[in-house]
Amino acid sequence: AEALFFIEKAKKLDPKNRWYSETKAAILERQGSLQQAAEIYEQLLHADPAKAVFYREAARLYAAQGRGDKALEIIGLREQQFGLRYDTTQQKVQILKVQGRWDVAADEIQKLRAEGLKNKVADSTLKRMEVDIKGKKYALMVLVKTDDKAKYKNVIDVLDELNITFIGKYALVDLAQQEYDMIKNFQP
C-alpha cells in the first residue's frame, strides 16, 4: 500500500512518465489486482502503441484472469500494429489451448509457417508447438475405419491429412458388422 502511495505521488509530479504507470501495474499484479494491472497496460498501449510490451503484458494479465477473448483481442491489436510475430503467435496458441480451441491454435501455427516466418523461427520450435497441440489429453481423436476394399495408399493419404491438420491422436480400427452392413446397403 505504501509503494502505491509513493507511485501515485510521483505520477502527480511527472504525469507523462510512463514508468510510474508500469511500476503501479507491477505492484498491483503482485498484490493480486490483475484486472487493474491489465487496465493500466491497456491504457499504456493506447497512449504509446509503439511499445509491444504493453500489448504482451495486457494480454498476459487478461489471460491469467480467464478472460481469453479479451486477451486475444489485445493480441489482435498487437498484430495490427506489428504484424505476425512468433511471440504473439505463441501467446495466442497458449490461450487457444486453454480455451480448448485446438483447431484454431493449429491454424495459427500454420499461418505463422505460411507467412515465411519459419526462416526466423527454428523449425524445432514450430514442431514443438505442433506436438504440444497434438498430444494434449483433450485433443481431438479420430478413429480411422477401413473395410476389406481399402487400399494401402488411401489409408496413408488419410494419415497424411491427419498429420497436416495436427490430429495427433488417431487409431486404425476394424469396422463393426453393423457399420459394414450400413456401408454395403448405402446407395448414393
Side-chain angles (χ1 to χ4, degrees), residues 93 101-111 133 165-166:
V93 165
R101 297 167 58 191
W102 304 100
D103 54 338
V104 180
D107 290 345
E108 290 299 324
I109 294 171
Q110 285 294 80
K111 195 184 320 177
I133 288 173
T165 56
F166 301 109

Side-chain angles (χ1 to χ4, degrees), residues 3 6 24 32 58 117 124 126 135 141 161 171 182 187:
F6 286 113
K24 181 178 179 180
L117 292 178
S124 61
L126 288 172
M141 176 157 185
E161 288 301 318
M182 182 178 71
Q187 299 294 330

Side-chain angles (χ1 to χ4, degrees), residues 60-83:
R60 181 182 63 77
L61 289 166
Y62 281 124
Q65 297 172 61
R67 296 184 61 196
D69 289 337
K70 181 66 175 175
L72 291 171
E73 177 187 323
I74 298 293
I75 291 170
L77 292 174
R78 183 177 180 196
E79 286 180 339
Q80 288 174 2
Q81 182 72 18
F82 301 102

